[in-house]
């Protein structure tokens, strides 16, 4: 069994290890991802040596995961959705052998799963070109220099500029569409909205009426209108990240009110002419839940008031963000200490 300190280990190469490390560390069940080099013939290579192409190594990440929370098969699915498996010359703007893609299997169980997953991707018709990602037996992994570890956290501005300029996200959006996000900053499977029967079983009558039938809950008689805890609010149906407590304010209306969403891409605005009024309705992107309305009478800095039904939301306290799979939002609260 391929374990370290009770965790299983997986190794992937998918272009820039800064990006791949960031993508894997957002997956619930992944305890950590480490950037490094593997697949070559030089012992303890430096970054400069790897970039020269003389070592045979590729930039890679080792992923340490809890198999009771996430399976190796799910990690493979996540991997495919964050690379271009048809490009033999590199990844996105990064060209060269050190940016090749590969799955390095640690045992025969991983080998079989990787070959099966690759074959399923190739047969899916997702890509017009052949899937060329290697499936290779793991040998030795060399950790990259310290400044490469958690680069997306430690050098956030530079990382974001690099990632945007690389073209990685624009390719993934084109290749996978909404399933590249699934409402959060990671995804393992495309989101599929449950049918009406399943929703009625999952939701309370008020939650169903609000999210599915566009109703409005009573003012001052709902769960979150006066909640002052720190955390985030997500869609009650899909779990899409919507609002932060830091952007919540007392509007005096009796409903939770926010100045802005934390993930603008998860909010859809529509004109609403019901009740003899002209308003702007807000809905969630993936679940298409009715959330509430947005008005231009909010405080600075946006001047907006997102007036949202508590019944459309689920609150996740900051202490539970990591456990619930929203660990990427902890930074919102750490920055304000």
């Amino acid at each position: 069994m391929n374990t370290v300190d009770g965790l299983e280990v997986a190794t992937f190469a998918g272009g820039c290890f800064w990006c791949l490390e960031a993508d894997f560390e957002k997956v619930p069940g992944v305890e950590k991802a480490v950037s490094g080099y593997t697949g070559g013939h030089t012992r303890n290579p430096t970054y400069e040596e790897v970039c020269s192409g003389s070592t045979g190594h590729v930039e890679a990440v080792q992923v340490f995961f809890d198999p009771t929370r996430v399976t190796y098969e799910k990690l493979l699915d996540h991997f495919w959705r964050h690379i271009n498996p048809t490009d033999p010359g590199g990844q996105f703007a990064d060209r060269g052998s050190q940016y090749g893609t590969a799955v390095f299997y640690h045992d025969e169980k991983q080998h079989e799963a990787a070959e099966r997953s690759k074959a399923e991707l190739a047969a899916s018709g997702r890509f017009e070109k052949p899937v060329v990602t290697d499936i290779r037996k793991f040998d030795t992994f060399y950790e990259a220099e310290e400044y490469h570890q958690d680069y997306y956290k430690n050098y956030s501005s530079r990382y974001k500029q690099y990632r945007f300029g690389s073209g990685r996200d624009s390719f993934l959006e084109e290749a996978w569409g909404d399933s590249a996000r699934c409402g959060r900053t990671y995804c393992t499977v495309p989101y599929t909205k449950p049918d009406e029967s399943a929703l009625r079983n999952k939701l309370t009558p008020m939650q169903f009426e609000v999210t599915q039938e566009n109703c409005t809950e009573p003012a001052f008689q709902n769960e979150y209108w006066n909640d002052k805890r720190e955390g985030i609010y997500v869609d009650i149906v899909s779990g899409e990240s919507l609002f932060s407590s830091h952007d919540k304010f007392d509007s005096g209306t009796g409903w939770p009110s926010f100045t802005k969403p934390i993930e603008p891409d998860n909010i859809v605005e529509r004109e609403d002419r019901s009740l003899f009024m002209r308003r702007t309705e807000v809905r969630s992107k993936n679940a298409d839940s009715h959330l509430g309305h947005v008005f231009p009478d909010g405080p600075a800095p946006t001047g907006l008031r997102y007036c949202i039904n508590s019944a459309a939301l689920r609150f996740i306290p900051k202490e539970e963000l990591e456990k619930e799979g929203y660990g990427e939002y902890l930074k919102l609260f750490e920055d304000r200490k």
Side-chain angles (χ1 to χ4, degrees):
M1 180 66 68
N2 169 43
T3 60
V4 175
D5 296 330
L7 301 174
E8 292 193 16
V9 184
T11 303
F12 303 98
C16 171
F17 48 24
W18 298 341
C19 298
L20 208 57
E21 178 188 308
D23 291 333
F24 272 110
E25 286 198 340
K26 295 180 176 69
V27 178
V30 169
E31 296 299 321
K32 66 176 179 178
V34 178
S35 292
Y37 317 111
T38 193
H41 50 74
T42 300
R43 290 176 56 84
N44 297 312
T46 66
Y47 179 66
E48 290 73 19
E49 288 173 334
V50 173
C51 287
S52 74
S54 63
T55 68
H57 288 295
V58 290
E59 292 192 9
V61 295
Q62 279 208 324
V63 178
F64 297 81
F65 65 99
D66 180 350
T68 67
R69 297 182 61 202
V70 62
T71 64
Y72 182 68
E73 287 77 8
K74 289 292 186 182
L75 295 181
L76 286 166
D77 186 57
H78 188 77
F79 171 68
W80 298 124
R81 293 170 186 273
H82 287 83
I83 66 167
N84 179 357
T86 70
D87 189 350
Q91 286 291 284
F92 316 108
D94 296 320
R95 315 310 298 165
S97 60
Q98 72 272 27
Y99 296 116
T101 64
V103 177
F104 293 88
Y105 61 89
H106 289 251
D107 54 35
E108 193 54 33
K109 181 180 177 182
Q110 287 191 355
H111 186 193
E112 292 174 0
E115 293 286 4
R116 183 169 58 251
S117 180
K118 178 180 176 179
E120 289 173 354
L121 179 66
S124 69
R126 173 70 63 171
F127 299 100
E128 295 182 358
K129 297 179 181 179
V131 174
V132 297
T133 298
D134 285 339
I135 308 295
R136 300 170 59 183
K137 184 175 176 57
F138 173 78
D139 186 1
T140 306
F141 183 85
Y142 300 97
E143 289 193 18
E145 294 82 348
E146 183 62 30
Y147 72 91
H148 287 301
Q149 309 301 332
D150 289 326
Y151 194 91
Y152 73 104
K153 295 179 183 177
N154 298 328
Y155 305 95
S156 177
S157 296
R158 275 180 276 177
Y159 168 74
K160 289 178 180 178
Q161 291 175 0
Y162 165 79
R163 179 146 185 156
F164 176 80
S166 74
R168 178 181 288 259
D169 289 332
S170 60
F171 171 86
L172 298 178
E173 180 67 25
E174 181 178 352
W176 295 100
D178 290 346
S179 66
R181 289 186 61 85
C182 290
R184 306 181 187 177
T185 57
Y186 65 85
C187 179
T188 55
V189 292
Y191 175 74
T192 301
K193 184 176 178 178
D195 60 24
E196 179 177 336
S197 176
L199 284 174
R200 287 189 181 277
N201 287 331
K202 175 181 179 179
L203 305 176
T204 67
M206 178 61 73
Q207 289 168 344
F208 186 90
E209 290 172 9
V210 167
T211 60
Q212 307 305 304
E213 298 177 343
N214 306 332
C215 294
T216 300
E217 67 193 4
F220 301 103
Q221 298 178 45
N222 54 79
E223 189 171 5
Y224 301 126
W225 76 272
N226 198 34
D227 196 326
K228 296 180 172 59
R229 293 175 293 169
E230 287 191 305
I232 68 170
Y233 296 83
V234 304
D235 184 292
I236 190 67
V237 175
S238 65
E240 295 168 71
S241 309
L242 299 174
F243 300 98
S244 165
S245 61
H246 286 318
D247 303 311
K248 191 171 185 282
F249 68 99
D250 184 1
S251 64
T253 61
W255 289 285
S257 298
F258 306 87
T259 58
K260 63 180 181 181
I262 51 173
E263 294 288 352
D265 288 345
N266 290 345
I267 297 290
V268 175
E269 297 185 3
R270 296 180 182 174
E271 185 179 36
D272 178 5
R273 290 178 174 267
S274 64
L275 302 179
F276 306 102
M277 294 184 286
R278 185 172 182 175
R279 299 174 294 174
T280 300
E281 180 195 13
V282 289
R283 305 183 70 89
S284 62
K285 180 179 180 180
N286 291 318
D288 192 35
S289 300
H290 170 71
L291 304 175
H293 295 83
V294 59
F295 302 94
D297 58 4
T302 65
L304 298 176
R305 171 172 60 93
Y306 287 85
C307 187
I308 308 298
N309 290 279
S310 289
L313 304 174
R314 181 167 77 92
F315 178 71
I316 303 176
K318 69 176 183 179
E319 296 83 7
E320 298 180 14
L321 289 174
E322 192 73 47
K323 180 182 71 174
E324 291 274 356
Y326 298 85
E328 67 267 31
Y329 297 110
L330 281 170
K331 189 172 176 59
L332 295 176
F333 305 97
E334 294 170 354
D335 286 348
R336 296 181 179 235
K337 288 182 179 178

